[in-house]
Each structure stands twice: as C-alpha cells, then as structure tokens.
Amino acid sequence: MDLNADVGQSFGSWTAGGDPAMFQLATSANVACGLHAGDPVTMLDSCRAAYELDVTVGAHLGYRDLAGYGRRRLGMSFDELFGDVLYQLGALDGVAHAVGASVDFVKPHGALYETVIDDADQASAVVAAVNAYDPGLPILGFPGSELLKQAKEAGHPVFTEAFADRAYRADGSLVALSDEGAVLHDTDAVVERAVRLATQGDVVAVDGTVVSVRPDSLRLLSGTPAAVELAARVRAGLEAAGVQLEPFA
C-alpha cells in the first residue's frame, strides 16, 4: 500500500509546517507546483528531500489560485487549464531533475480534484496536457472519476486513492465537507479504517453499507502537528498489521 501526502505548500515567508516529518512517513509526495501553493525554492527543497529519502515525487496540480489555496473552483477554458497543467508539470519536472529526482505521477489538488471527478470538460484538459507532456505518466485520483476514466482511455496507468479520515456515502462518494460528520476526528477510528482499507479494500459508509474501494494509495493529512501525529499513527497501525508500504508509481 502506498501512503501519499501533500507537501511543498510553503510560499515565500509563509511556511506550511510538517513537511520534514511527512517525508519520513509517506511513500509518495504530492508536491505543489507553484500555482495553488509552493514556490521554486520550496519545490527544490521538496524534491531534494524526496530523493534523499526515496519517496516518489508527484506533481500536485492545482488551479491558479494562490489567494484561495486552490480551493475555489474556477471556470477555465480548455486551453487555459491545458496550459496551466503543462506549466506546472514542466516547472516541477525541471526542478526534480536538477536534484536527481523525477516526476513519477500526477494528482490534482483541492477544487480541481473535486471538479474532475464529474466534469468531463476539465478532466479532458488535464488528461490532454499530461498526455502531451508524458504519455506514460501515471495519474492518481478518485475511484470512478472522469479524470481516471479519460486517463485510462488515453493509455495512462491509473491509480485510485482512499481517505481514512473521511466519511463515505453508500455510492462510494465522500460526504461533503460542509455536512456534519464528514471528517473523522477519532484517531483510533481513523487508524482502524486505514488498516481495513489496506487489508480488506472496503470501508463502512455512513448508513452502514460496506463499500468496496480497493485503493492503491491512502492519503495522509499533512500541514499541521496534529496531522503529522495522526499520519504517524496510521503508518504504525498499517505496519503492525503487516501491510507492506511502497510507492504505487
């Protein structure tokens, strides 16, 4: 099982904490590429740390929205989103190669991640840009999403992720963050769910339905001391259950 975490989200004098610890816990790092978060120095530091610790680097693609941290959905034309994805891939790939690393997968961030679950037009722009840059680049996303459907049709290796700290509906979708109970705060419950996802490939939905997920990767929360502590507990729980942790890409 792979453990992926969002890193490289500092910008200038503003620091998003937790990266040093997360690089010790994750097997794949989603590195911000400078549009929703991150900057050249932060990307450089992130790629260097990933290379030194044998953590796989992924391009964390977001909307051009530093002020909103990429969490605001943007109405973009095909060419606008196509260009922004290419821009981010080229920037991170160049930095990665400078320190001996490489970009081995891509994953959307925030509002873009949520949009390409069911927006065929924006998903097509993302897939077209990734395909134009590297036709064999793996793509990580939400199970059943438009993004992964189109990526697979285009010949990209596709991988799915699950969230041990989020509530699921019976149809396999996540409970909206605006709804009560969308996020699990009990550490033991999150660890138990992570182990179940990794060993049984399913999750219990809010109505009690057992939903088959079979993820290739589990997302670790990051950015705060509490998130790092939770991630450490999740990794320890998986290792105690005999789960082999390794990058999917």
Side-chain angles (χ1 to χ4, degrees):
M1 178 60 63
D2 173 69
L3 298 177
N4 77 82
D6 301 348
V7 298
Q9 300 176 111
S10 298
F11 182 79
S13 60
W14 181 80
T15 301
D19 279 8
M22 293 308 300
F23 277 113
Q24 300 284 343
L25 298 170
T27 52
S28 295
N30 315 313
V31 181
C33 304
L35 291 193
H36 77 272
D39 57 38
V41 173
T42 302
M43 287 192 287
L44 183 64
D45 290 342
S46 298
C47 290
R48 184 180 291 116
Y51 178 72
E52 292 174 351
L53 294 170
D54 199 25
V55 175
T56 299
V57 173
H60 208 197
L61 309 172
Y63 284 129
R64 187 183 293 270
D65 181 29
L66 278 175
Y69 193 50
R71 291 176 175 167
R72 300 180 292 190
R73 181 168 179 166
L74 301 182
M76 303 182 72
S77 70
F78 182 96
D79 283 348
E80 287 173 329
L81 187 52
F82 181 91
D84 276 2
V85 170
L86 282 178
Y87 179 91
Q88 293 174 84
L89 281 170
L92 185 64
D93 196 36
V95 170
H97 275 90
V99 297
S102 60
V103 173
D104 293 327
F105 71 96
V106 300
K107 174 190 168 181
H109 162 82
L112 181 59
Y113 183 97
E114 295 174 356
T115 299
V116 296
I117 288 177
D118 55 20
D119 189 315
D121 292 336
Q122 292 212 7
S124 68
V126 173
V127 171
V130 176
N131 191 59
Y133 191 83
D134 182 347
L137 198 58
I139 298 179
L140 176 66
F142 197 75
S145 63
E146 271 291 330
L147 175 72
L148 295 191
K149 175 186 175 183
Q150 294 191 32
K152 186 175 183 179
E153 291 173 349
H156 289 270
V158 297
F159 298 89
T160 62
E161 69 173 345
F163 302 76
D165 66 319
R166 291 288 302 276
Y168 279 76
R169 295 192 178 96
D171 64 358
S173 64
L174 296 175
V175 173
L177 287 172
S178 57
D179 294 346
E180 184 178 353
V183 179
L184 281 65
H185 298 288
D186 182 272
T187 299
D188 291 338
V190 174
V191 173
E192 180 181 353
R193 176 165 288 195
V195 171
R196 178 167 181 156
L197 282 163
T199 58
Q200 297 179 213
D202 59 36
V203 64
V204 179
V206 290
D207 67 349
T209 302
V210 176
V211 181
S212 178
V213 181
R214 302 198 177 282
D216 300 296
S217 181
L218 297 179
R219 180 183 175 240
L220 297 176
L221 284 175
S222 57
T224 68
V228 170
E229 181 180 353
L230 177 60
R233 287 284 304 277
V234 166
R235 174 157 184 149
L238 291 169
E239 291 175 332
V243 176
Q244 183 177 354
L245 300 177
E246 59 184 12
F248 66 86

